[in-house]
Structures are given as structure tokens and as C-alpha cells.
């Protein structure tokens, strides 16, 4: 076994593992050339002695890091899953193995050995550990877990950049952009109370997921009939379908149906005709 330090000291119990610039796990046992590590959450995992090289030595503690050619990916995935957001990106740049796991661009050998879902499983577990259940519930299911996590970080950074805005202006921006992640993050942090303005913006912009979240967060909020009518008059089919699916159904007035015909919202009219009883224009 070769070391990058001039010392030939082998790993010992109470030494710490160093990945990049982050100290993560303590060696708690060495037996038959197998190192047992314990991370900050008291989880245990093992790796072979020859998977480590001595890289840094101080007067207080000796650090080790992965020898990329030998190490199993599972300890790395454990560290990637459990790293805080501020450390995660740095870890992904630590070495080629970390980059491959984070990017999903693993070699054919890596995929053959560990499967093609390695990256997705890592991001899925990371999402479950670090992201609020409400945000996960309302995520875009067409996106991969990796794409969803990256979208979450981007949304979080955008909110941080706009923290100088007052709550009303920030909420207006969120409603116009239709970013459900930003909406949930903001309301979780601020305990924001939705009112007519948010309902109107959500309906006029046809943001159905936002409406569902508003109703989940404030189940007793009252949606005025005029806003139900607006969803039909302006041809917002998804929103009109959502209101019709509520218990009891929230349906547009006859005047709104007639206005939908006048505005040539054919899809809305076709949908309303399928209801029982059907809603048909009278003009």
C-alpha cells in the first residue's frame, strides 16, 4: 500500500475519513484488513484497507481519502446522501468517482457493477432526507430525481437572491412565474397567509398545482364564484376541470359558459358538455 504522505503510518482506530475538504466518518474498528467507519449519524459501513491512502497528517488527527481506483461506491453514496446542501456540490467535484455518481455519466464498468439507477437512487434518497414532504408531493413527476433536486436548489437560490423584496412583491413574482417549489419554500419559511390576490393570480395563470397547495395549506379559504367563472371565461381548461372535480363541484355560472362560447374557448365548452348535467351555452 502506497501513501501520498512521507509517513508510512497505517490507518488506526479513531482516525477520521476525509472526502475532499469535509471530514465525515470515524474509524471505529480495523479487523482482517477491513475498516469499519461510523458517520455523523452513527451509521456503520465497511471498506477494505487498501481502498485508502494517507493524504494529510496533523498533530491532532490523521485523515484519509478514497483511492478512486479501488473503493466501493457505497460509502461515497452514503456521504453524498447525507451531506448538507452547502457541501454537496463541493463533494461532487472531489474526484472522478464522485463526479460520475453526481452527474449520472458513469463508465460502462461502473454501470455494469452497480446498475444504471445508481445516480437516481442517490438523488432520491437525498431528496427524501433534505427536502420538505410538501415540495416532494407537488414535484413535477416527469422530471428525474436528479432534475428535481437541481430544480429545488435553483429555486432556493432564486428566493435567496430576492430576499430584499417585501412579502407581497415576492409573492407576486412567484405567482406570475408559477414556480410551485418557490411558493412552498416561501410559505414554509414565512407562514404567509393566502388571500384573494393569490387566488386570482393562480386561476388567471392556470397554475393548478399552486391552487391545490393553497387549498392544502388553507383548507378553509373561500374561492369566490367570480374566480370560478374567470377560469371558464378565460379558457383555463385545467383549472376548470379541477374546480369541477371538487366535492361539491365548483361550476361556472351560465353567463360564464356563454362568455366562453363568445371567446371561442372550444375545449372548455366540450368539457362542460360532458358533465352530468351538462353545461351548455344558451346564446
Amino acid at each position: 500500500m502506497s501513501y501520498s504522505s512521507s509517513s508510512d503510518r497505517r490507518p488506526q482506530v479513531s482516525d477520521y475519513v476525509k472526502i475532499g475538504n469535509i471530514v465525515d466518518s470515524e474509524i471505529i474498528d480495523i479487523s482482517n484488513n477491513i475498516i469499519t467507519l461510523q458517520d455523523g449519524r452513527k451509521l456503520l459501513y465497511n471498506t477494505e484497507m487498501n481502498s485508502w491512502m494517507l493524504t494529510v497528517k496533523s498533530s491532532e488527527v490523521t485523515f484519509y481519502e478514497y483511492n478512486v481506483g479501488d473503493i466501493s461506491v457505497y460509502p461515497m453514496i452514503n456521504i453524498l446522501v447525507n451531506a448538507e446542501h452547502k457541501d454537496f456540490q463541493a463533494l461532487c467535484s472531489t474526484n472522478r468517482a464522485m463526479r460520475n455518481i453526481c452527474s449520472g455519466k458513469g463508465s460502462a464498468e461502473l454501470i455494469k457493477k452497480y446498475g444504471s439507477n445508481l445516480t437516481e437512487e442517490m438523488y432520491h434518497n437525498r431528496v427524501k432526507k433534505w427536502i420538505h414532504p410538501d415540495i416532494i408531493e407537488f414535484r413535477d413527476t416527469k422530471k428525474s430525481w436528479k432534475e428535481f433536486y437541481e430544480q429545488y436548489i435553483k429555486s432556493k437560490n432564486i428566493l435567496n437572491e430576492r430576499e430584499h423584496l417585501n412579502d407581497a412583491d415576492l409573492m407576486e413574482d412567484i405567482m406570475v412565474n408559477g414556480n410551485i417549489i418557490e411558493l412552498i419554500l416561501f410559505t414554509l419559511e414565512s407562514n404567509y397567509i393566502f388571500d384573494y390576490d393569490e387566488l386570482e393570480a393562480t386561476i388567471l395563470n392556470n397554475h393548478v398545482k399552486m391552487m391545490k397547495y393553497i387549498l392544502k395549506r388553507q383548507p378553509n379559504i373561500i374561492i369566490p364564484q367570480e374566480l370560478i367563472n374567470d377560469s371558464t371565461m378565460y379558457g383555463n381548461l385545467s383549472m376548470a376541470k379541477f374546480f369541477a372535480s371538487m366535492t361539491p363541484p365548483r361550476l361556472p355560472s351560465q353567463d360564464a359558459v356563454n362568455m366562453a362560447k363568445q371567446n371561442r374557448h372550444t375545449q372548455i365548452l366540450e368539457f362542460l358538455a360532458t358533465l352530468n348535467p351538462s353545461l351548455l351555452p344558451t346564446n
Side-chain angles (χ1 to χ4, degrees):
M1 177 178 177
S2 62
Y3 298 105
S4 58
S5 167
S6 59
S7 168
D8 62 356
R9 176 184 179 283
R10 293 174 67 79
Q12 298 176 1
V13 172
S14 297
D15 286 345
Y16 283 79
V17 174
K18 178 172 177 284
I19 305 297
N21 295 317
I22 300 170
V23 177
D24 184 82
S25 304
E26 181 182 4
I27 298 175
I28 63 170
D29 183 68
I30 301 177
S31 177
N32 297 325
N33 209 39
I34 297 296
I35 299 176
T36 300
L37 305 168
Q38 179 174 264
D39 70 10
R41 298 188 306 148
K42 307 303 181 185
L43 295 180
L44 302 180
Y45 50 94
N46 300 326
T47 186
E48 292 182 5
M49 177 81 77
N50 62 8
S51 296
W52 302 87
M53 333 188 269
L54 181 63
T55 56
V56 179
K57 185 175 181 180
S58 71
S59 58
E60 297 179 356
V61 67
T62 301
F63 299 102
Y64 296 84
E65 73 174 7
Y66 288 115
N67 178 337
V68 180
D70 299 327
I71 188 67
S72 163
V73 302
Y74 294 117
M76 284 190 276
I77 289 176
N78 180 66
I79 292 169
L80 288 169
V81 167
N82 291 293
E84 294 187 12
H85 295 305
K86 61 183 178 63
D87 299 324
F88 178 71
Q89 196 58 48
L91 281 171
C92 284
S93 302
T94 298
N95 55 44
R96 184 175 60 187
M98 289 286 204
R99 285 194 298 273
N100 286 343
I101 296 171
C102 293
S103 68
K105 298 177 181 178
S107 65
E109 181 182 357
L110 184 71
I111 293 172
K112 181 179 179 181
K113 187 172 182 179
Y114 298 102
S116 59
N117 291 325
L118 193 66
T119 296
E120 274 295 275
E121 289 173 2
M122 183 275 287
Y123 278 102
H124 188 192
N125 288 325
R126 183 163 178 75
V127 163
K128 289 189 292 185
K129 176 176 175 63
W130 292 104
I131 298 182
H132 194 281
D134 282 354
I135 300 177
I136 299 174
E137 177 184 349
F138 287 95
R139 76 182 183 93
D140 182 352
T141 56
K142 295 179 181 178
K143 292 183 180 294
S144 68
W145 289 110
K146 178 179 181 293
E147 291 169 334
F148 169 64
Y149 179 79
E150 291 170 344
Q151 181 188 25
Y152 168 82
I153 293 299
K154 182 178 180 180
S155 298
K156 195 173 179 68
N157 290 338
I158 289 173
L159 273 184
N160 290 337
E161 292 171 359
R162 293 187 293 179
E163 61 184 1
H164 62 283
L165 298 176
N166 62 49
D167 285 358
D169 288 342
L170 182 54
M171 180 57 74
E172 182 178 355
D173 282 353
I174 292 172
M175 286 294 170
V176 170
N177 294 330
N179 190 317
I180 184 67
I181 296 178
E182 289 181 27
L183 177 67
I184 299 174
L185 279 172
F186 176 64
T187 54
L188 290 174
E189 293 172 359
S190 66
N191 292 318
Y192 190 89
I193 304 300
F194 297 109
D195 59 19
Y196 181 92
D197 289 340
E198 285 76 52
L199 290 173
E200 181 180 40
T202 302
I203 291 169
L204 294 182
N205 289 291
N206 206 28
H207 296 320
V208 176
K209 280 190 177 181
M210 284 188 163
M211 178 58 68
K212 290 180 178 179
Y213 175 69
I214 290 173
L215 293 174
K216 177 179 180 177
R217 188 169 175 84
Q218 290 176 224
N220 295 324
I221 194 170
I222 297 174
I223 304 175
Q225 181 61 41
E226 65 187 87
L227 294 182
I228 305 293
N229 295 340
D230 285 346
S231 67
T232 293
M233 290 190 295
Y234 293 113
N236 293 339
L237 179 61
S238 297
M239 192 67 72
K241 285 183 175 181
F242 171 67
F243 286 141
S245 71
M246 295 177 70
T247 305
R250 298 297 308 274
L251 301 175
S253 67
Q254 186 63 58
D255 286 343
V257 177
N258 292 340
M259 185 62 71
K261 180 182 178 182
Q262 182 176 326
N263 293 334
R264 300 181 180 179
H265 293 312
T266 305
Q267 289 183 318
I268 286 280
L269 295 174
E270 290 175 349
F271 165 68
L272 295 175
T274 67
L275 299 178
N276 186 18
S278 58
L279 285 175
L280 303 173
T282 57
N283 56 358

